[in-house]
């Protein structure tokens, strides 16, 4: 027998702990066991009860156990899995927007100002594409439609049309149906509520970036006026229409508004389902705000410590899965998740939409997805060709890092981006233990 290559040891308040990044086991151990496990010498002398627990939790493995290959098989197995139950389509009816956020990266999208409209021909292609997907993948049990942009509500009539068709299709086929939208909210009106939000039970994500004075420096309209009061009025309008459980407020956290999180939560928590905290990344046109972005350690230690209830499962690891192995995302797997823009170009990552190097193909007039070489290249990508990743103790948590973050940090999706350090992970684990005790 031998100790796992993925064990991390740390102390907290005089107690000794062990965390295994492959199995997600976190165990409190005594000082002597810590010494034995770290050295790998004298494992047979450990108390039988402890030895059994260590083997069950993957802390100790058999001599012929190749843990790296176990994780690689897990990852590549999911990467090539074709038995998908959900068809997820994100519709991007436009890259244009009616406000000017100081940190928005989408101004860097190629042909951003191209005057192409999202009308019936594009709607018909997407509907045909959905029908063909159902024919090709009989395992599909659910259709998910997300609306993204730009500002998607610039095309409300068109969205109402396509959503109605998909909703009726799901009802006829007995499929589950879910929808969501990311919107700045300024264009919400009675038509939006009655014809788009309510019939589709839509999850509505709006953004409030701090208190009024802070928000109004970050999110302004085309005339440079702050949007805080207008967005708050839309939240209240949705609340009056009994849509509280549909509203998610996103707060993009940086050094300028981290101290305002509690005020935002206290003001809005009674009116929305959840408040979602996200670290602001430096990317595209907002790279000039790099000095305002939080280091991961600061986000983990300050935001997680106090506001963990407002972080979703992925955020709690600060974009790295803390409990559970990191699996392939839509970018490099066979997952049926597509981002389709108004030009009928198709992408597999919301951060990389509009960039031709990451377009995987396009949908023709028959609703057929015509794939290009980018698709096949992306589906072969993973962390296993890089020596740094292969030998890293954090491999099962990181898997080489988010492809989008690779691109914005290195300009190269083939170069791994280390999502966190072992030191930051240990700080996170100690805070997790403190909250659980």
């Amino acid at each position: 027998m031998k100790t796992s290559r993925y064990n991390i040891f740390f102390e907290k308040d005089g107690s000794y702990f062990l965390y295994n990044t492959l199995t997600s086991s976190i165990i409190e151990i005594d000082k002597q066991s810590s010494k034995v496990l770290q050295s790998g010498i004298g494992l047979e002398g450990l108390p039988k009860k402890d030895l059994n627990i260590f083997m069950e939790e993957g802390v100790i493995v058999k001599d012929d156990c190749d843990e790296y290959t176990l994780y690689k098989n897990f990852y590549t197995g999911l990467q090539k899995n074709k038995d998908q139950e959900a068809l997820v389509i994100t519709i991007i009816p436009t890259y244009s927007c009616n406000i000017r956020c100081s940190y928005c990266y989408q101004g860097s999208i190629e042909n951003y100002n191209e005057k192409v409209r999202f009308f019936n021909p594009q709607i018909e292609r997407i509907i045909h594409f959905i029908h063909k997907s159902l024919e090709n993948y009989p395992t599909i049990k659910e259709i998910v439609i997300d609306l993204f942009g730009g500002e998607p509500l610039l095309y409300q009539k068109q969205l109402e049309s396509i959503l109605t068709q998909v909703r009726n299709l799901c009802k006829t086929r007995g499929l589950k149906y879910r929808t969501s939208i990311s919107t700045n909210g300024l264009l919400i009106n009675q038509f939006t509520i009655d014809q788009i939000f309510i019939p589709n039970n839509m999850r509505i994500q709006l953004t409030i970036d701090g208190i009024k004075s802070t928000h109004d420096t970050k999110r302004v309209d085309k005339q440079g006026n702050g949007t805080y009061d207008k967005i708050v009025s839309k939240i209240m309008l949705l609340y009056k229409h009994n849509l509280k459980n549909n509203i998610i407020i996103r707060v993009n956290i940086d050094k300028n508004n981290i101290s305002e999180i509690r005020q935002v939560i206290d003001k809005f928590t009674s009116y929305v389902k959840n408040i979602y905290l996200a670290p602001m990344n430096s990317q595209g046109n907002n790279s000039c705000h790099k000095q305002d972005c939080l280091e991961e350690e600061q986000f983990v230690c300050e935001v997680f410590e106090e506001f963990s209830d407002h972080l979703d499962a992925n955020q709690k690891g600060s974009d790295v899965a803390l409990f559970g192995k990191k699996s392939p995302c839509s970018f490099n797997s066979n997952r049926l998740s597509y981002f389709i823009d108004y030009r009928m170009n198709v992408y597999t990552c919301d951060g990389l939409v509009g960039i031709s190097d990451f377009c995987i193909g396009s949908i023709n007039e028959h609703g057929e997805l015509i794939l290009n070489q980018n698709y096949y290249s992306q589906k072969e990508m993973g962390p296993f060709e890089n020596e740094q990743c292969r030998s890293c103790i954090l491999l099962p948590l990181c898997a080489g890092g988010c492809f989008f973050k690779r691109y914005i940090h290195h300009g190269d999706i083939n170069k791994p981006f280390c999502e966190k350090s072992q030191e930051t992970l240990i700080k996170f684990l100690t805070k997790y233990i403190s909250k659980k005790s």
Side-chain angles (χ1 to χ4, degrees):
M1 70 182 87
K2 61 183 180 182
T3 55
S4 169
R5 65 185 288 177
Y6 295 113
N7 289 335
I8 292 177
F9 299 86
F10 61 100
E11 298 180 32
K12 180 186 180 301
D13 300 330
S15 297
Y16 297 84
F17 294 89
L18 177 153
Y19 176 67
N20 186 280
T21 61
L22 181 62
T23 65
S24 301
S25 300
I26 183 167
I27 307 171
E28 183 173 1
I29 55 180
D30 59 48
K31 185 175 182 179
Q32 182 59 29
S33 294
S34 180
K35 288 182 178 179
V36 171
L37 289 168
Q38 290 189 66
S39 69
I41 300 172
L43 299 178
E44 297 83 356
L46 291 169
K48 186 174 181 180
K49 181 180 179 181
D50 292 348
L51 186 61
N52 289 337
I53 292 174
F54 293 149
M55 295 191 73
E56 288 174 2
E57 299 296 335
V59 172
I60 295 176
V61 298
K62 294 180 180 180
D63 286 327
D64 61 352
C65 178
D66 184 347
E67 296 171 281
Y68 168 79
T69 299
L70 287 177
Y71 176 66
K72 183 178 181 180
N73 290 342
F74 163 83
Y75 188 96
T76 56
L78 288 178
Q79 193 173 22
K80 300 181 185 303
N81 179 30
K82 294 184 178 181
D83 295 328
Q84 305 297 332
E85 295 188 352
L87 173 63
V88 182
I89 296 178
T90 299
I91 299 173
I92 305 168
T94 180
Y95 291 124
S96 298
C97 190
N98 57 325
I99 69 172
R100 298 292 180 263
C101 299
S102 64
Y103 53 78
C104 182
Y105 67 92
Q106 288 191 309
S108 60
I109 289 175
E110 299 164 8
N111 300 317
Y112 175 76
N113 293 313
E114 184 178 323
K115 299 299 182 182
V116 178
R117 302 297 184 182
F118 183 72
F119 286 137
N120 285 336
Q122 290 95 326
I123 292 173
E124 290 176 4
R125 289 193 189 192
I126 294 175
I127 294 297
H128 288 325
F129 172 69
I130 292 174
H131 279 280
K132 288 186 177 297
S133 296
L134 294 174
E135 293 173 9
N136 295 332
Y137 297 92
T139 55
I140 292 174
K141 297 179 181 178
E142 178 182 34
I143 295 178
V144 181
I145 302 294
D146 297 325
L147 307 178
F148 193 61
E151 173 48 53
L153 290 182
L154 287 167
Y155 286 86
Q156 296 196 40
K157 292 283 188 180
Q158 292 82 359
L159 294 178
E160 186 270 338
S161 172
I162 194 168
L163 289 168
T164 299
Q165 293 181 63
V166 177
R167 186 174 70 247
N168 290 338
L169 172 64
C170 288
K171 184 176 181 180
T172 301
R173 297 284 191 100
L175 302 172
K176 294 180 181 178
Y177 173 64
R178 287 190 290 125
T179 65
S180 69
I181 186 171
S182 296
T183 173
N184 60 52
L186 268 61
L187 297 177
I188 293 173
N189 55 31
Q190 202 59 48
F191 177 87
T192 321
I193 294 170
D194 292 340
Q195 303 300 323
I196 296 178
F197 291 169
I198 291 177
N200 297 288
N201 191 25
M202 185 167 286
R203 176 185 180 274
I204 308 157
Q205 179 178 288
L206 302 160
T207 299
I208 297 287
D209 278 342
I211 61 176
K212 175 177 167 61
S213 58
T214 302
H215 176 101
D216 282 345
T217 64
K218 295 172 177 287
R219 300 177 68 83
V220 300
D221 62 22
K222 290 182 179 180
Q223 289 71 45
N225 301 312
T227 59
Y228 182 88
D229 290 334
K230 293 178 181 179
I231 294 175
V232 171
S233 71
K234 301 299 184 179
I235 293 172
M236 295 301 108
L237 177 63
L238 296 174
Y239 178 78
K240 290 177 182 178
H241 281 80
N242 298 314
L243 289 170
K244 171 183 176 179
N245 289 331
N246 296 69
I247 308 170
I248 307 294
I249 287 181
R250 177 187 174 110
V251 186
N252 296 302
I253 306 298
D254 64 12
K255 295 176 183 176
N256 298 314
N257 66 1
I258 188 171
S259 63
E260 300 170 3
I261 297 174
R262 176 53 60 192
Q263 292 169 268
V264 174
I265 291 173
D266 289 345
K267 181 177 179 63
F268 293 102
T269 192
S270 298
Y271 304 102
V272 303
K273 180 179 181 180
N274 191 24
I275 296 174
Y276 162 74
L277 308 178
M280 190 176 80
N281 292 306
S282 173
Q283 59 204 65
N285 278 10
N286 80 350
S287 58
C288 59
H289 292 270
K290 186 175 182 179
Q291 71 276 7
D292 296 326
C293 297
L294 296 173
E295 296 294 332
E296 184 194 34
E297 182 173 326
Q298 187 178 6
F299 184 79
V300 168
C301 294
E302 296 187 29
V303 178
F304 175 83
E305 183 174 18
E306 186 173 357
F307 305 108
S308 61
D309 291 344
H310 298 281
L311 304 177
D312 67 20
N314 291 323
Q315 288 176 286
K316 288 181 179 179
S318 190
D319 297 321
V320 183
L322 178 63
F323 299 115
K325 295 182 285 292
K326 185 72 175 285
S327 59
C329 67
S330 59
F331 183 83
N332 68 327
S333 73
N334 283 322
R335 193 179 302 174
L336 302 179
S337 180
Y338 307 100
F339 296 80
I340 305 174
D341 71 12
Y342 55 91
R343 295 172 290 194
M344 294 295 98
N345 290 333
V346 182
Y347 305 83
T348 53
C349 173
D350 60 348
L352 299 172
V353 296
I355 304 174
S356 59
D357 285 346
F358 305 108
C359 174
I360 64 164
S362 60
I363 296 175
N364 67 17
E365 64 273 17
H366 305 296
E368 298 166 330
L369 173 54
I370 309 302
L371 297 170
N372 60 32
Q373 186 56 45
N374 290 339
Y375 172 84
Y376 300 100
S377 299
Q378 289 179 19
K379 299 312 171 185
E380 294 299 320
M381 290 182 180
F384 307 108
E385 290 74 33
N386 184 275
E387 174 56 31
Q388 179 185 351
C389 292
R390 289 199 299 269
S391 60
C392 182
I393 196 171
L394 301 180
L395 173 65
L397 297 183
C398 174
C402 166
F403 289 99
F404 171 52
K405 290 186 177 180
R406 293 184 188 190
Y407 179 72
I408 63 175
H409 285 274
H410 303 309
D412 182 359
I413 59 172
N414 294 298
K415 186 176 181 180
F417 171 67
C418 298
E419 300 267 15
K420 68 158 75 275
S421 66
Q422 186 171 328
E423 291 74 18
T424 302
L425 176 62
I426 289 174
K427 288 183 179 181
F428 183 89
L429 289 167
T430 58
K431 291 184 179 298
Y432 173 83
I433 291 168
S434 295
K435 293 183 76 71
K436 288 294 184 180
S437 59

